[in-house]
Amino acid sequence: MPFYFKDLRDDTYIVFRAFIQGLTENVSPTWTPEKYIGRSEPVHIYESAERDISLNLTLAAGNDRELEQIYKKINRLTSLCYPEYQADSNLEGKLRMKPPLTRFRLGELYGQEKKEVLGFIKSLTYTYPDNSPWERAKGFRVPKYIEVSINYQVIHDKVPGLSFTALWRQNITEGRYETFYGVTSEKA
């Protein structure tokens, strides 16, 4: 199934072949309590909500070519935690940061073709298991198994709300829809 990150700084893709575990989604609404005189309990005021996706990958190299590709991909994945610096034409000699925004797709659960989930990598952790074999060739002395934990912050293209579910089937057939998940029609 499609599983990739698209780097919006240069429109390149990082496509993974991996074992996915621990797929978790967290939606956190924020409510602020307000106390009023004469009221024994606070009144809660809705402020906002955040959505993030966490997943763990196990990357395993079966041969030298796969090992090289895995390390190229995790190098590129790590770069998605840092900005790109570009010269500012309006400020001579000054650099500006271009944030590492991405598009993310995992099957049709998160995104779909040409309509991936917008966001950024909130955290990235690499673990090299103790039982991982290592490559012994000079210049490639690295572990062959890597466990990657990714926490991805979702930024919706459109302001999310009840409309993401209302008239869902009708909106799909008319070609105008937004959903929280990429499922857009019944199975073929």
Side-chain angles (χ1 to χ4, degrees), residues 67-96:
L67 183 67
E68 185 178 351
Q69 288 302 310
I70 285 172
Y71 277 90
K72 281 183 180 179
K73 288 177 182 186
I74 67 169
N75 188 57
R76 185 64 191 217
L77 187 64
T78 302
S79 81
L80 293 177
C81 295
Y82 296 95
E84 176 184 13
Y85 292 95
Q86 292 183 330
D88 188 325
S89 59
N90 296 324
L91 299 170
E92 195 171 314
K94 301 289 183 190
L95 297 176
R96 285 191 184 246

Side-chain angles (χ1 to χ4, degrees), residues 25-188:
E25 179 177 348
N26 184 36
V27 180
S28 305
T30 302
W31 293 80
T32 302
E34 192 68 43
K35 294 181 182 180
Y36 291 102
I37 296 175
R39 187 168 171 96
S40 63
E41 61 187 24
V43 173
H44 289 82
I45 301 167
Y46 179 82
E47 286 189 1
S48 64
E50 286 195 43
R51 180 179 178 209
D52 64 65
I53 302 163
S54 297
L55 60 132
N56 300 316
L57 311 176
T58 299
L59 305 173
N63 58 46
D64 294 345
R65 182 184 156 117
E66 287 179 358
L67 183 67
E68 185 178 351
Q69 288 302 310
I70 285 172
Y71 277 90
K72 281 183 180 179
K73 288 177 182 186
I74 67 169
N75 188 57
R76 185 64 191 217
L77 187 64
T78 302
S79 81
L80 293 177
C81 295
Y82 296 95
E84 176 184 13
Y85 292 95
Q86 292 183 330
D88 188 325
S89 59
N90 296 324
L91 299 170
E92 195 171 314
K94 301 289 183 190
L95 297 176
R96 285 191 184 246
M97 288 192 301
K98 188 174 184 182
L101 290 176
T102 66
R103 294 230 173 244
F104 169 65
R105 181 169 181 202
L106 177 57
E108 277 72 48
L109 180 60
Y110 299 113
Q112 56 186 320
E113 189 174 352
K114 297 182 182 176
K115 195 170 172 64
E116 301 91 350
V117 175
L118 176 66
F120 59 89
I121 293 179
K122 201 169 172 179
S123 69
L124 184 60
T125 304
Y126 296 111
T127 303
Y128 304 95
D130 293 338
N131 62 349
S132 173
W134 283 58
E135 177 59 47
R136 296 184 307 172
K138 188 175 181 179
F140 289 92
R141 290 177 264 200
V142 293
K144 291 184 177 185
Y145 301 152
I146 305 165
E147 295 172 357
V148 184
S149 295
I150 301 170
N151 186 267
Y152 189 78
Q153 180 68 50
V154 175
I155 304 171
H156 293 282
D157 287 322
K158 295 184 180 175
V159 179
L162 181 60
S163 64
F164 274 41
T165 59
L167 302 173
W168 189 65
R169 292 261 182 240
Q170 179 185 344
N171 288 343
I172 289 169
T173 57
E174 294 174 9
R176 49 182 182 85
Y177 59 89
E178 275 301 319
T179 63
F180 290 108
Y181 307 97
V183 176
T184 57
S185 63
E186 294 182 24
K187 285 184 178 180

